[in-house]
Amino acid sequence: MNPIRPLLRGASPRIPIPLRLSSRVISRAFVSTVPTSIAGFLDFKPHEPVSDVKVDGFVRSVRAQKRYHFVSLGDGSSLESLQAVVPADQAEGLTLGAAVRLHGSWIPSQGRGQSHELKVEQATVLGPSDAKTFPIQKKYQTPEYLRALPHLRPRIPFNSAVLRFRSEIITSLTNFFGSRDFIQTHTPILTSSDCEGAGEVFHVSSSDPTPSPSTSKTSKSFFRRPVYTTVSAQLHLEALAQALGHVWTLSPTFRAEQSDTPRHLSEFYMLEAEMNFTDKLDSVMDLVEDMLRHICTDLAGSRVRDELLVRAGERPTDLATAEQVSQRWEGLMRKDWPRITYTEAIELLKHSETPFVHSPIWGKDLHTEHEKYIAMKVGRDNSPVFVTNYPRDIKAFYMRANAEDSDASTPGATVDCFDLLVPDFCEIAGGSMREHRLGDLLASMRAHGIDSNSSSSSDGGAESSKSAENNLNWYVDLRRWGCPPHGGFGLGFDRLICYLSGVQTIHDTSAFPRWYGRCDC
């Protein structure tokens, strides 16, 4: 019999139907639309009460009355708290800092300050807290005090908002680079190369105990050569770019600077990207400009951006004003950021009537006071400013020599590079075209006092020892076999968070900050 005919006559086919599969499909069709986070509940405003809801969170405050306790609840998803009305006989253990699960009805609120509230029918304490000893109190606590409690500090509502902001920027960056066909990569944290050549690196060694005289006279190194924590992913990104095309990474970097300022961390995150087959620095600057504009445009209407503008309580000096932060966002969203050369910047500073502590001199680094003046004077309506073509002697060895120097318009040799300056905060990013020609790279390394002949050194002398401490042989090799013109940039991710959130010190943008003298957990 033809198996199709019963179907054509309307008869049921003799094919067994798995009932379990069918019921599973039906059950998934009725997924609850009730929120699962406190941020979701705060946006959930039904006209009629919704029964049988569950809310998990941490107690932020408790106001006890005879019949009811009014509990403010947070879970890190929102700066604002959820109000729960708990019967007095259900309120035992609902103390400051406790982790709780509340069951009840989500109803329109009769009180002021919130549109809805949770009418609790059952309260369960999942993680008790001694309110008397809990270090995070409702009253104002200084950033200095909170930095001594890095394991608890993220529970402060504004601090959790900053951490959510970090997450949303990362999502936005991932989408941006994906739309530009960049490949995200993971570069090593341990390296045998000092990218910047400044020597401010952490040396890495194993925890093996020092050998006793009876077992060994010399300790054996874990690696074959000195190894450090990375100061930049750039060199490795250049290698990956030759294999993958345009690449980017967001990874931790480390600097052993003995500096305790609001602008320095010993461990921080760098956003870095490399563009292969790229001839001009303008392409790299265009990428940075488009990227930062995308982030601000993408997040301009987000909940967390609005929360970052809230200025409540006693935090006048901890944060930039809401107006300042709004102006920063608007500046980054403007088009066509100004671009001037270092030489033009020096001339601008020399003709300024502003009395600088450090006189602007061609061939010297720009100081913070200089960068702030340039950003204010050149930037249009708080837009950032690119400063290009710095003197060769104050920049890194890997930067490409500037061909425009031949017209003698500058007092000395320059390199094809830029720093990005923003109002109030100065430099947040820097980039360059990389020297892709073997001979020119070797000459630049020699000019910067870096041994470029380590691969042929075999006498074991001082030259060989110096080379072993900063292994750049592999980086030179990249120029030997098919190295096209390329360029890239690095952006201090924590500084960007500072700038866009209004947080005044970089120590408060990271969940567990490390800086000179401080690594508390």
Side-chain angles (χ1 to χ4, degrees):
M1 179 179 177
N2 189 337
I4 301 298
R5 287 181 180 176
L7 296 180
L8 295 176
R9 293 197 300 265
S12 300
R14 298 178 181 178
I15 301 175
I17 299 175
L19 296 179
R20 181 178 301 177
L21 177 61
S22 177
S23 62
R24 183 178 302 171
V25 172
I26 292 174
S27 66
R28 287 188 61 83
F30 295 94
V31 177
S32 173
T33 58
V34 176
T36 57
S37 69
I38 285 179
F41 271 102
L42 294 175
D43 290 336
F44 182 46
K45 301 177 181 180
H47 296 295
E48 300 296 329
V50 178
S51 60
D52 194 25
V53 302
K54 180 195 72 173
V55 179
D56 294 334
F58 298 89
V59 176
R60 289 181 177 176
S61 68
V62 180
R63 180 165 54 90
Q65 294 186 358
K66 185 175 181 180
R67 295 179 57 194
Y68 296 101
H69 287 198
F70 295 88
V71 178
S72 292
L73 212 63
D75 64 355
S77 66
S78 171
L79 190 67
E80 188 180 351
S81 299
L82 178 149
Q83 177 170 284
V85 182
V86 186
D89 60 356
Q90 288 281 334
E92 184 178 356
L94 300 186
T95 56
L96 186 64
V100 300
R101 174 169 293 161
L102 306 180
H103 290 85
S105 300
W106 185 242
I107 64 173
S109 177
Q110 300 298 318
R112 292 180 297 177
Q114 64 281 326
S115 66
H116 287 67
E117 62 190 12
L118 182 68
K119 183 179 179 181
V120 177
E121 299 162 5
Q122 180 183 358
T124 306
V125 177
L126 304 179
S129 171
D130 183 351
K132 294 181 180 179
T133 61
F134 185 51
I136 307 297
Q137 298 293 320
K138 188 179 179 181
K139 65 180 182 179
Y140 172 74
Q141 294 170 307
T142 66
E144 291 77 13
Y145 169 76
L146 293 173
R147 287 176 203 137
L149 302 167
H151 55 304
L152 298 174
R153 185 178 67 159
R155 297 197 195 182
I156 299 292
F158 187 86
N159 290 348
S160 66
V162 172
L163 296 179
R164 282 188 284 113
F165 183 48
R166 288 180 71 103
S167 176
E168 294 201 13
I169 287 187
I170 292 171
T171 300
S172 184
L173 284 169
T174 302
N175 293 335
F176 171 80
F177 281 115
S179 70
R180 299 292 184 98
D181 293 328
F182 276 69
I183 304 299
Q184 184 178 15
T185 63
H186 297 116
T187 51
I189 290 176
L190 302 183
T191 177
S192 59
S193 311
D194 178 3
C195 174
E196 300 297 332
E200 296 171 332
V201 295
F202 290 102
H203 293 253
V204 176
S205 62
S206 64
S207 60
D208 293 340
T210 303
S212 62
S214 60
T215 58
S216 176
K217 293 184 179 180
T218 59
S219 60
K220 183 180 178 181
S221 174
F222 188 89
F223 298 102
R224 294 180 178 179
R225 60 173 67 247
V227 171
Y228 324 99
T229 52
T230 184
V231 298
S232 172
Q234 179 204 315
L235 303 189
H236 294 93
L237 279 181
E238 289 189 52
L240 293 172
Q242 292 188 19
L244 298 170
H246 299 342
V247 293
W248 75 285
T249 189
L250 178 63
S251 57
T253 53
F254 307 83
R255 300 283 173 94
E257 293 179 279
Q258 297 186 9
S259 180
D260 181 10
T261 75
R263 291 167 55 91
H264 289 89
L265 285 172
S266 298
E267 177 187 0
F268 53 97
Y269 273 75
M270 284 289 288
L271 168 64
E272 298 179 79
E274 287 293 320
M275 303 175 68
N276 217 12
F277 291 97
T278 300
D279 298 302
K280 295 193 176 188
L281 186 65
D282 285 334
S283 299
V284 183
M285 291 190 287
D286 289 344
L287 177 69
V288 175
E289 185 173 337
D290 291 346
M291 177 192 72
L292 292 175
R293 186 182 299 113
H294 169 85
I295 291 172
C296 292
T297 304
D298 189 29
L299 300 181
S302 66
R303 168 192 289 272
V304 70
R305 193 264 188 178
D306 293 339
E307 290 177 340
L308 293 174
L309 297 179
V310 173
R311 297 292 181 269
E314 309 172 45
R315 304 183 62 140
T317 61
D318 302 351
L319 302 169
T321 66
E323 182 182 5
Q324 282 179 302
V325 176
S326 294
Q327 289 174 348
R328 293 173 182 179
W329 282 70
E330 291 168 3
L332 288 177
M333 287 189 282
R334 298 190 187 281
K335 293 184 177 181
D336 302 323
W337 300 350
R339 301 177 182 184
I340 66 171
T341 66
Y342 168 89
T343 302
E344 291 170 339
I346 291 294
E347 290 301 311
L348 177 67
L349 293 168
K350 285 182 177 179
H351 290 88
S352 169
E353 297 181 356
T354 301
F356 297 114
V357 175
H358 302 91
S359 299
I361 301 173
W362 200 99
K364 300 293 184 181
D365 268 322
L366 296 177
H367 290 269
T368 300
E369 58 179 340
H370 301 151
E371 294 179 339
K372 285 185 175 181
Y373 180 85
I374 294 168
M376 176 190 68
K377 197 72 174 178
V378 181
R380 295 189 296 266
D381 298 323
N382 295 290
S383 73
V385 178
F386 287 103
V387 180
T388 65
N389 299 356
Y390 281 75
R392 178 189 62 190
D393 294 341
I394 63 173
K395 287 298 183 179
F397 73 93
Y398 51 75
M399 295 185 180
R400 187 176 73 183
N402 205 325
E404 298 176 2
D405 290 343
S406 58
D407 62 5
S409 61
T410 60
T414 64
V415 287
D416 220 0
C417 68
F418 72 84
D419 282 348
L420 180 63
L421 311 182
V422 293
D424 304 326
F425 222 75
C426 304
E427 180 198 350
I428 60 169
S432 73
M433 295 300 296
R434 317 309 191 190
E435 186 53 82
H436 65 284
R437 299 159 295 190
L438 177 60
D440 294 82
L441 177 63
L442 294 175
S444 178
M445 293 173 69
R446 288 190 292 269
H448 284 81
I450 300 173
D451 178 25
S452 58
N453 299 310
S454 57
S455 59
S456 60
S457 298
S458 57
D459 58 1
E463 289 279 328
S464 178
S465 175
K466 182 179 179 181
S467 303
E469 293 181 2
N470 191 9
N471 170 33
L472 292 170
N473 297 339
W474 65 272
Y475 183 70
V476 174
D477 276 350
L478 296 176
R479 274 65 181 170
R480 300 185 193 278
W481 303 294
C483 184
H486 61 285
F489 72 89
L491 180 145
F493 189 66
D494 301 274
R495 287 190 179 185
L496 178 64
I497 301 296
C498 265
Y499 188 67
L500 292 179
S501 67
V503 173
Q504 299 287 55
T505 168
I506 200 171
H507 299 162
D508 296 332
T509 62
S510 172
F512 302 101
R514 282 86 168 87
W515 70 95
Y516 179 58
R518 298 292 293 273
C519 182
D520 295 339
C521 73

